[in-house]
Amino acid sequence: MKQALEESFYKSLCTIELAKSLLGKRLVHDSEQGMTSGLIVETEAYLRYDPACHASRGRTNRNSSMFLDAGHAYVYFVYGNHFCFNVVSEGQGIGEAVLIRSLEPQQGVELMAARRGIFDRILLTSGPGRLCKAMGIDKKLDGSRLWQGPLYVENDEREAGLSIIETFRIGISQGKDLKLRFLAEGNSFVSRRPVNE
DNA sequence: GTAGGGATAATCT
DNA sequence: GATTATCCCTACG
């Protein structure tokens, strides 16, 4: 592994700051099948008093890793088909996290394509379920420590000068009016373009 | 390009 | 039994 961000990075920021700060950084998975990585270009924040947040109605078996210390992974299964990957934020006992919604593929594009069964670079990792499949992220990584790997985040020089757009979150029925989705302006790998504002 | 629905299963009521 | 932080395929303009 090259330079995984340290635990202190995750602890030093609140959830919204972390969601913005992760844009332009690189998510890396050093798996048994090979190395894959991608630039984070879209995130969403889920806050503890937010009705759309899994943790807002208390701790359950499913969401328990959301209550770990900042810098752990929260991976869950949705719609009977897909995994979603989150970066846990805030201190132990506080259920907040940042959902990673899309990546721009960097290393291991061939492996991603093989895992996904498609070859269109744009569709490889543009969506939370898609990127988990491409990166080989599943329930085994739930609760893992992002500062130790094999799944981790590192800096990328492209973070500098990045413009961030704030807009509404996707795929939820509650908390729709909150602008807690963040994306890299002008990047074509985001899962959906913002509609109005 | 947009809209609709099916797949598919853990979780919660 | 309903809901769900999704994806993909098909049909229709």
Side-chain angles (χ1 to χ4, degrees), chain A residues 6-42:
Chain A
E6 293 173 17
E7 190 178 5
S8 58
F9 163 74
Y10 300 99
K11 290 189 168 180
S12 67
L13 300 171
C14 76
T15 302
I16 290 176
E17 288 168 343
L18 182 63
K20 293 183 190 175
S21 180
L22 285 171
L23 292 176
K25 287 187 166 51
R26 179 173 32 249
L27 179 67
V28 185
H29 186 199
D30 195 358
S31 77
E32 292 174 9
Q33 299 168 287
M35 169 92 87
T36 50
S37 73
L39 201 71
I40 299 171
V41 296
E42 179 181 355

Side-chain angles (χ1 to χ4, degrees), chain A residues 38-137:
Chain A
L39 201 71
I40 299 171
V41 296
E42 179 181 355
T43 61
E44 285 180 3
Y46 284 87
L47 309 178
R48 75 194 103 152
Y49 298 123
D50 162 13
C53 177
H54 289 169
S56 67
R57 286 178 206 174
R59 184 179 194 145
T60 64
N61 197 37
R62 177 207 205 190
N63 67 23
S64 64
S65 41
M66 251 183 136
F67 292 86
L68 295 171
D69 257 334
H72 285 82
Y74 169 44
V75 180
Y76 69 93
F77 195 58
V78 272
Y79 293 108
N81 289 307
H82 308 285
F83 291 102
C84 291
F85 166 63
N86 296 248
V87 176
V88 174
S89 56
E90 302 294 341
Q92 191 171 355
I94 298 176
E96 300 197 1
V98 177
L99 171 69
I100 307 300
R101 283 198 57 89
S102 45
L103 304 175
E104 175 181 327
Q106 291 182 321
Q107 304 166 73
V109 175
E110 303 79 11
L111 178 54
M112 291 188 192
R115 281 173 174 151
R116 292 270 291 117
I118 59 163
F119 297 91
D120 185 332
R121 235 172 103 81
I122 295 281
L123 294 177
L124 225 41
T125 52
S126 60
R130 290 170 176 166
L131 75 87
C132 282
K133 188 158 189 197
M135 296 283 290
I137 297 172

